[in-house]
């Protein structure tokens, strides 16, 4: 899985969304993240189609929404997602949250069925705490490939990072810029100024240093490029330690959804 991808939540205008995806792919991105609930799978598919990049070189992930997690709905809505995306299969299909109709014994065999039918290469989970991941591992035949959770300098997910290492799955950071909040933090700004880079690049380089895949959402070419250029930024040990120390345990997305994040 390419370790820097493009997020697409709230990139809702279809033409703009397709253009963002095309721009990112032609710049070098090879990982695109969407979800049924974002309402933009068709536009994401159009962007992939329009880009001068072969489909097999793009790692494409989508997520099954919480109201679609009864087994027959998993299958029917995943098929509908593929249709909208205009692809035969996705590279990664996530359970979006362990909520709503989620029932591991009922939901996860349907994900295995989709793997068996070749409609997804891999199964992922999202917003799962360690105990949810372990339950999923017990029930699934397929491995749990990744857990996508909010991760950034204010929500560092040290417990989940250790859990991912121990159990052999990838951690994918959503809201890796804390939806813009990192731009205003003194330490992030300081580190950015000292290196003459943007605060966004500092947040993404910090995640890369932690071995976490990041999927920043960016709409304009300038933001898409700024984030892409974070790949050449290597933070000093001192800068990493300063960012490690700003842990705030604060989530930006659904902060009331579940106890105290996943720390
Ligand atoms: P984010 O990536 O932390 O922040 C996105 C915001 O930062 C947008 O307002 C974007 O503006 C701005 N931005 C991006 N790059 C920038 C740059 N270089 N300089 C200045 N501003 C910049 O937030 P997110 O969208 O919540 O998270 C990223 C992705 O994670 C989502 O799009 C989605 O794919 C995924 N996600 C998943 C879940 C889940 O439950 N699994 C939840 C939330 C998000 P512009 O759009 O104007 O460029």
């Amino acid at each position: 899985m390419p370790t820097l991808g493009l997020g697409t939540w709230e990139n809702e205008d279809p033409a703009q969304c397709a253009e963002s995806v095309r721009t990112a792919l032609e710049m070098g991105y090879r990982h695109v993240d969407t979800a049924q609930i974002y309402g933009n799978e068709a536009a994401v598919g159009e962007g992939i189609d329009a880009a001068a990049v072969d489909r097999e070189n793009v790692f494409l992930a989508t997520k099954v929404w919480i109201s679609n997690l009864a087994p027959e709905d998993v299958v029917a809505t995943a098929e509908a997602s593929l249709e909208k995306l205009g692809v035969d299969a996705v590279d990664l299909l996530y359970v979006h949250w362990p909520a709503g109709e989620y029932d591991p014994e009922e939901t996860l065999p349907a994900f295995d069925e989709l793997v068996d039918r070749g409609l997804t290469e891999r199964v992922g989970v999202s917003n799962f705490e360690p105990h949810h991941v372990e339950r999923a591992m017990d029930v699934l035949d397929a491995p749990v490939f990744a857990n996508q959770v909010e991760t950034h300098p204010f929500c560092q997910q040290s417990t989940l990072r250790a859990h991912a290492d121990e159990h052999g799955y990838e951690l994918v950071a959503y809201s890796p810029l804390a939806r813009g909040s990192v731009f205003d933090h003194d330490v992030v700004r300081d580190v950015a100024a000292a290196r003459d880079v943007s605060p966004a690049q500092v947040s993404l380089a910090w995640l890369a240093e932690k071995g976490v895949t990041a999927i920043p959402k960016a709409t304009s070419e300038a933001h898409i490029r700024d984030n892409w250029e974070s790949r050449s930024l290597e933070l000093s040990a001192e800068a990493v330690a300063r960012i490690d120390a700003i842990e705030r345990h604060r989530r930006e997305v659904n902060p009331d959804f579940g106890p105290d994040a996943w720390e």
Side-chain angles (χ1 to χ4, degrees):
M1 175 172 60
T3 54
L4 185 67
L6 181 74
T8 63
W9 183 29
E10 294 180 335
N11 196 340
E12 279 162 359
D13 176 74
Q16 177 61 69
C17 180
E19 181 58 13
S20 301
V21 170
R22 187 191 65 77
T23 300
L25 292 175
E26 293 189 348
M27 201 178 288
Y29 285 73
R30 291 292 180 268
H31 177 172
V32 181
D33 183 84
T34 182
Q36 293 175 346
I37 195 71
Y38 302 168
N40 62 9
E41 289 175 310
V44 166
E46 272 169 37
I48 293 172
D49 225 30
V53 173
D54 290 340
R55 160 70 188 107
E56 59 265 31
N57 295 327
V58 180
F59 188 96
L60 177 59
T62 192
K63 315 182 193 81
V64 180
W65 186 238
I66 62 175
S67 54
N68 298 332
L69 291 171
E72 59 280 9
D73 295 337
V74 169
V75 172
T77 65
E79 288 172 347
S81 288
L82 297 185
E83 178 85 28
K84 287 180 194 161
L85 287 161
V87 298
D88 298 329
V90 287
D91 298 276
L92 178 57
L93 186 69
Y94 292 99
V95 176
H96 205 141
W97 289 83
E101 299 304 309
Y102 181 66
D103 173 344
E105 276 73 19
E106 297 289 323
T107 303
L108 297 172
F111 276 72
D112 273 328
E113 178 190 328
L114 294 169
V115 172
D116 292 343
R117 288 175 54 199
L119 303 188
T120 183
E121 287 284 328
R122 301 167 188 82
V123 176
V125 296
S126 180
N127 300 296
F128 274 40
E129 297 175 52
H131 71 94
H132 294 120
V133 178
E134 287 172 31
R135 186 80 200 105
M137 284 175 161
D138 286 346
V139 176
L140 276 168
D141 290 334
V144 171
F145 177 74
N147 187 12
Q148 182 181 126
V149 294
E150 181 171 341
T151 313
H152 47 70
F154 307 152
C155 184
Q156 299 195 0
Q157 303 289 16
S158 47
T159 304
L160 260 183
R161 281 192 273 123
H163 190 260
D165 282 349
E166 185 189 340
H167 291 268
Y169 61 88
E170 301 289 332
L171 211 64
V172 177
Y174 77 65
S175 307
L177 310 175
R179 318 209 78 216
S181 298
V182 293
F183 307 153
D184 300 325
H185 195 279
D186 287 350
V187 169
V188 177
R189 293 174 70 92
D190 242 38
V191 171
R195 297 293 299 273
D196 198 19
V197 297
S198 69
Q201 292 188 359
V202 169
S203 196
L204 296 172
W206 176 82
L207 286 162
E209 199 276 336
K210 299 295 176 197
V212 175
T213 291
I215 47 165
K217 177 254 190 178
T219 307
S220 63
E221 175 167 3
H223 286 170
I224 294 169
R225 187 176 301 285
D226 189 44
N227 298 339
W228 187 239
E229 289 176 352
S230 70
R231 297 179 322 134
S232 53
L233 175 63
E234 199 170 322
L235 297 175
S236 67
E238 190 208 337
V240 170
R242 286 184 70 196
I243 297 170
D244 287 352
I246 62 177
E247 173 102 56
R248 282 193 197 164
H249 297 282
R250 193 184 82 200
R251 284 165 53 198
E252 303 288 331
V253 180
N254 292 328
D256 301 325
F257 208 106
D260 243 2
W262 299 275
E263 288 294 341

